[in-house]
Amino acid sequence: MESTASSPATPRWNVQRPFLTGHFYQESKSTVSQITDSFSKRGSQNPIGSYPTSVQELLLIDNLLSALVGIEGRYISTKRIRGKEGHVTFHIDASTDFTLQELAKRLFPLCENFVVISHFVESRSHFKNGVVNHAFAAALRALLVDYQAMVAQLEHQFRLGRLSIQGLWFFCQPMMGSMHALSAVIEKALIDNCSGSAVLNLLHNQAKAMAGDNAVRSLLEKMTQCASAAYLRILERWVYEGIIDDPYGEFFISENKLLQKESLTQDYDAKYWQQRYSLKNGIPSFLLSTSETILITGKYLNVMRECGHSVQVPVSENSKLMSFGSNHHYLERIKAAYDFASGELLNLIKSKYDLMSKLRTLKRYLLLDQGDFLVHFMDIARDELIKRPDEISVEKLQSLLDIALRTTAAASDPCHEELTCCVERSSLFNRLSTLKDLESGVKNLGFHTSEVKIVTDSGNQTEPVNITGLETFSLSYKVHWPVSLVISRKALTKYQLIFRFLFHCKHVNRQLCGAWQVHQGARAHNTSGTAISRSSLLCRSMLKFINSLLHYLTFEVLEPNWHVMNDRLRSANSIDEVIQYHDFFLEKCLKECLLLLPELLKKVEKLKTISLQYAAAIQRLIPSIYIPETNTSNDTSGLGTSKRRRSRQRFVALKEAAENKTVIDSVMKFEKEFNTELRSLGPLLSKNSHAEPYLTHLAQCILGVRSEQ
């Protein structure tokens, strides 16, 4: 038996003095004979068979009355069974009349059962055996007192000359079945060294097996009630107070104190909520169907206690778990305790700790629902974000983020103070490859494993040489207990993965917009049929691609899934349902944002890379439409001449660029690469859209881009 604390020691005299403990009948004959020699010398040494049958019966009844309480006599002896502590067999003098022998042997099982039960009572009353064994032993001790009173009454009848051996057999009949059933339970308990719920299960199963004998079944049910009383007190404290008061480790719920609630915000693989309290083997059979409810009820009460919120399930005399029975009232009381604890915790997290507001903040900033702060931040943090990750100052980025938040509409949001900056050291694709649990999460959504193949060989993934903060920048959010049960480190990491993908798409969009502005300057001049005109069409295709992708991510994936989750959270009945709905939302968003589909994600990343390279090349190779003013005087007479001169300069520069072989080759190269990747992405999306219907919208947008080429 496992014990959570050291048990008090049993005094040595309690096991060293056999006449105090009832062990004297197990001692060898040589030891007992030293005490009984004086008595044996006084009596006749003649065998019992030398007496008449009537005298033999009297002598045998006298010995049987002693044997019924485990004491051997002159003509009935005991023999210990090797390898079975506490078990003895009774033997009668072979010279006894055969008829009397047969009648006496019928009573021997009752005598042997008494010895077994007495041994169990003595051995299981020690502290180390647990409260269930203590309670069971106390109930057996009370039963043995009644049994010994019966033997004393029989002995009184014998002294009055009113008891024959047939009468002794008749009066012992009612106890035979009960003692045998209890002995069977005890023998199993001794062999398996049972304690706690194992003892309760033995009693419960034996009671069901004795359904045909009403008296024995009633006795076993009473014993089960007595033995379970202490166990139910442990259960009552757990479901009404959330406290495990289990000094001997008998309760079916264990606590792992090494797991702390702080790990929820620090460790991606934190197991606090799943393993801080968990079910052990050996649940009592009468609690098996409701064991999960019992576990969760105590967990909810524990969360509230750790929040400093003093709460206890209202307890009345009718709601105490002092017994169980066929009416199943105890199950109704457990369900009522669960409903109370679940409702209180859910109300506490939603009201006092404002869970929904925290989730809306994550949507607003990490899912880019409110984008004005992001535009301002990308403008002022550009110089820092284009550096390599190890060269970026996170403190400077945090200052710039605070400026962006305070100078935009986000300033009115009280939760924006909890936002922080972080810069990863790996690319998005490599970060996804390290999160091996995402594949199992996808299986829970009902997706086929053939459709989702998370890269697990992260050693083969090399970081791009030119990776910058634009690819690795992310936002984080400070989450406190107990909101961290829902927004854990794992959940926040998934938010960050989506943010990084969206943020980089926004960056690509901004760079292409810059290239588009360059092309807009050429509209005043006739560039039809030139490389600049061809580049303008390519830029428009790239913009439509990235805008279609952003539209799909925000309006086809994040927004509808958020509303579904929001509606589910409003109707949730427990914090476990809230966690389940929130995790489902994140897994579904990751899947539908292509982050769990590496083949498609690689194609999209390749198209984004080509678009960035194209935007950088265009802004470098094609002259800007904005030529700085060189005439700052107030003289307006030469204003027209200045404008014409600048116009001629732009025209000459654009003509040179349009005829420049480098520009022509670059545009053709980017057009070929982009169209090749786009052509390969279109059929891939169309093929996967049969299994993943949400890809249909994205496929239509992509194919629409292709048709314009």
Side-chain angles (χ1 to χ4, degrees):
M1 180 192 70
E2 294 183 1
S3 176
T4 56
S6 57
S7 305
T10 302
R12 294 180 62 83
W13 55 262
N14 197 35
V15 295
Q16 290 178 345
R17 299 176 67 179
F19 284 93
L20 279 180
T21 63
H23 289 173
F24 61 90
Y25 49 76
Q26 296 182 42
E27 300 294 333
S28 61
K29 272 192 174 182
S30 60
T31 303
V32 179
S33 62
Q34 295 176 5
I35 302 171
T36 58
D37 270 350
S38 58
F39 297 101
S40 61
K41 288 177 181 177
R42 296 177 192 171
S44 171
Q45 301 298 319
N46 296 331
I48 190 172
S50 63
Y51 298 102
T53 304
S54 58
V55 176
Q56 289 185 36
E57 181 178 3
L58 294 175
L59 293 173
L60 200 56
I61 291 173
D62 184 57
N63 278 229
L64 281 172
L65 289 171
S66 299
L68 286 173
V69 291
I71 303 172
E72 65 178 2
R74 182 177 299 169
Y75 305 111
I76 296 178
S77 61
T78 61
K79 182 179 180 181
R80 296 175 62 181
I81 300 176
R82 187 180 301 275
K84 286 188 176 183
E85 186 180 0
H87 288 67
V88 299
T89 57
F90 285 82
H91 302 276
I92 191 170
D93 191 322
S95 64
T96 308
D97 180 75
F98 182 76
T99 303
L100 295 177
Q101 281 191 49
E102 291 301 315
L103 289 171
K105 287 179 181 179
R106 292 182 183 181
L107 291 169
F108 284 173
L110 181 61
C111 304
E112 293 166 0
N113 291 335
F114 173 84
V115 174
V116 171
I117 295 173
S118 297
H119 170 72
F120 183 86
V121 169
E122 292 297 334
S123 63
R124 290 300 184 267
S125 296
H126 298 170
F127 291 109
K128 65 179 181 179
N129 294 295
V131 293
V132 173
N133 275 324
H134 295 167
F136 185 31
L140 289 173
R141 194 186 298 274
L143 176 69
L144 291 183
V145 169
D146 293 339
Y147 172 85
Q148 289 169 332
M150 180 200 74
V151 175
Q153 292 172 353
L154 291 173
E155 185 178 11
H156 177 66
Q157 293 296 317
F158 174 65
R159 300 303 177 198
L160 295 176
R162 300 174 183 173
L163 185 68
S164 65
I165 195 167
Q166 290 90 347
L168 181 62
W169 162 250
F170 174 79
F171 288 119
C172 288
Q173 276 296 307
M175 292 295 294
M176 294 286 287
S178 300
M179 295 290 279
H180 176 72
L182 287 173
S183 178
V185 173
I186 288 170
E187 285 183 7
K188 292 178 183 176
L190 289 171
I191 291 172
D192 298 331
N193 194 26
C194 295
S195 64
S197 58
V199 175
L200 297 180
N201 285 335
L202 283 175
L203 284 167
H204 192 63
N205 294 335
Q206 188 71 17
K208 289 194 296 185
M210 301 300 296
D213 190 331
N214 188 55
V216 175
R217 179 179 56 81
S218 298
L219 175 65
L220 289 171
E221 287 179 351
K222 181 182 178 181
M223 288 292 161
T224 309
Q225 297 285 1
C226 294
S228 65
Y231 196 87
L232 291 176
R233 281 194 290 271
I234 300 174
L235 173 63
E236 190 175 279
R237 290 209 70 186
W238 173 251
V239 298
Y240 288 163
E241 301 176 44
I243 296 173
I244 296 181
D245 184 10
D246 183 24
Y248 301 104
E250 298 171 282
F251 197 42
F252 64 89
I253 295 175
S254 63
E255 179 182 9
N256 186 354
K257 293 184 178 180
L258 296 178
L259 297 176
Q260 300 296 319
K261 61 180 182 291
E262 290 77 16
S263 65
L264 287 170
T265 58
Q266 299 168 0
D267 184 7
Y268 179 86
D269 295 315
K271 301 297 183 184
Y272 175 85
W273 188 240
Q274 294 80 12
Q275 297 181 7
R276 175 61 188 260
Y277 296 99
S278 58
L279 296 175
K280 298 192 296 189
N281 294 328
I283 301 172
S285 56
F286 57 90
L287 294 175
L288 191 60
S289 62
T290 190
S291 58
E292 284 290 342
T293 303
I294 293 170
L295 171 66
I296 294 170
T297 302
K299 285 170 65 176
Y300 290 169
L301 294 171
N302 265 282
V303 172
M304 288 185 278
R305 193 171 66 249
E306 293 206 26
C307 293
H309 184 70
S310 179
V311 64
Q312 182 175 350
V313 177
V315 181
S316 63
E317 287 299 322
N318 293 331
S319 64
K320 289 187 176 181
L321 300 172
M322 298 308 296
S323 64
F324 69 94
S326 57
N327 53 19
H328 300 303
H329 286 329
Y330 67 99
L331 296 179
E332 296 173 5
R333 294 163 189 167
I334 291 171
K335 182 64 168 60
Y338 167 79
D339 292 338
F340 175 84
S342 176
E344 284 289 311
L345 177 58
L346 193 59
N347 183 62
L348 180 71
I349 292 182
K350 281 188 174 181
S351 301
K352 182 177 179 180
Y353 294 96
D354 202 5
L355 171 65
M356 297 308 298
S357 177
K358 303 292 192 301
L359 292 174
R360 283 193 294 270
T361 298
L362 290 174
K363 177 176 183 280
R364 188 175 297 122
Y365 299 112
L366 272 75
L367 302 184
L368 304 187
D369 186 49
Q370 181 176 328
D372 59 337
F373 88 95
L374 186 69
V375 174
H376 187 31
F377 174 74
M378 294 179 79
D379 286 336
I380 62 178
R382 181 181 181 280
D383 292 340
E384 195 69 23
L385 289 173
I386 60 176
K387 296 178 182 178
R388 291 178 56 81
D390 54 354
E391 297 172 354
I392 293 176
S393 170
V394 179
E395 293 78 10
K396 185 175 181 180
L397 279 181
Q398 184 65 48
S399 300
L400 295 173
L401 176 64
D402 292 339
I403 293 172
L405 290 171
R406 292 192 182 100
T407 55
T408 59
S412 61
D413 181 9
C415 296
H416 81 266
E417 298 289 345
E418 305 296 332
L419 281 175
T420 59
C421 290
C422 61
V423 179
E424 301 282 352
R425 291 292 181 264
S426 59
S427 65
L428 176 62
F429 197 81
N430 280 6
R431 179 65 175 134
L432 283 166
S433 71
T434 63
L435 306 179
K436 300 182 178 65
D437 70 299
L438 290 180
E439 186 172 357
S440 62
V442 171
K443 291 178 183 177
N444 294 333
L445 293 175
F447 298 124
H448 300 293
T449 53
S450 60
E451 299 162 9
V452 181
K453 297 178 181 178
I454 303 300
V455 179
T456 56
D457 188 7
S458 57
N460 295 333
Q461 300 295 320
T462 57
E463 297 295 349
V465 178
N466 59 345
I467 189 173
T468 65
L470 292 164
E471 288 82 24
T472 60
F473 172 76
S474 181
L475 293 179
S476 189
Y477 189 74
K478 296 177 183 177
V479 184
H480 306 285
W481 174 264
V483 178
S484 57
L485 286 172
V486 181
I487 311 174
S488 61
R489 177 73 259 171
K490 178 178 287 189
L492 195 57
T493 298
K494 293 173 182 177
Y495 275 109
Q496 290 174 325
L497 292 171
I498 297 172
F499 172 84
R500 288 178 63 181
F501 190 49
L502 290 172
F503 182 80
H504 194 251
C505 288
K506 288 281 188 182
H507 166 63
V508 174
N509 179 266
R510 284 166 60 85
Q511 294 303 105
L512 288 173
C513 286
W516 180 249
Q517 289 179 352
V518 172
H519 288 95
Q520 289 299 95
R523 294 183 65 183
H525 306 280
N526 185 14
T527 58
S528 177
T530 65
I532 294 178
S533 174
R534 195 179 189 106
S535 176
S536 178
L537 290 173
L538 177 59
C539 185
R540 187 176 68 173
S541 297
M542 290 181 173
L543 269 173
K544 187 168 184 181
F545 162 74
I546 198 67
N547 286 333
S548 297
L549 179 61
L550 282 169
H551 173 87
Y552 163 76
L553 295 174
T554 53
F555 294 102
E556 301 287 349
V557 176
L558 299 178
E559 198 64 29
N561 282 325
W562 168 267
H563 285 295
V564 170
M565 180 193 70
N566 190 51
D567 292 340
R568 287 177 172 176
L569 294 186
R570 291 182 186 280
S571 61
N573 296 317
S574 68
I575 195 64
D576 276 301
E577 287 187 10
V578 170
I579 295 171
Q580 178 186 350
Y581 294 149
H582 183 243
D583 289 346
F584 184 86
F585 162 74
L586 289 174
E587 293 287 351
K588 200 164 187 290
C589 287
L590 283 170
K591 169 73 175 178
E592 296 184 4
C593 284
L594 312 181
L595 295 177
L596 303 184
L597 301 170
E599 190 176 8
L600 287 172
L601 183 60
K602 284 180 181 179
K603 289 290 182 184
V604 172
E605 289 297 314
K606 180 64 174 176
L607 285 165
K608 285 162 55 181
T609 301
I610 294 171
S611 299
L612 284 175
Q613 292 172 350
Y614 164 79
I618 290 303
Q619 294 184 54
R620 185 179 69 254
L621 295 175
I622 299 179
S624 174
I625 63 172
Y626 301 107
I627 295 178
E629 296 285 347
T630 56
N631 184 9
T632 58
S633 67
N634 295 328
D635 184 9
T636 59
S637 60
L639 186 58
T641 305
S642 177
K643 287 184 178 180
R644 287 192 296 271
R645 184 168 59 252
R646 288 199 303 274
S647 179
R648 284 196 300 271
Q649 289 175 355
R650 293 192 190 104
F651 179 73
V652 172
L654 287 170
K655 186 177 179 181
E656 291 176 353
E659 296 174 353
N660 190 315
K661 189 175 186 303
T662 303
V663 174
I664 296 172
D665 292 344
S666 295
V667 170
M668 295 295 290
K669 179 175 92 51
F670 287 121
E671 183 181 28
K672 180 181 178 182
E673 289 181 357
F674 182 78
N675 288 335
T676 301
E677 292 296 330
L678 201 58
R679 279 193 296 269
S680 62
L681 178 61
L684 189 60
L685 284 171
S686 298
K687 180 185 71 174
N688 288 341
S689 64
H690 295 294
E692 315 295 346
Y694 58 84
L695 294 177
T696 303
H697 303 291
L698 182 58
Q700 289 173 351
C701 294
I702 297 300
L703 293 174
V705 172
R706 242 189 70 197
S707 65
E708 296 181 6
Q709 297 302 307

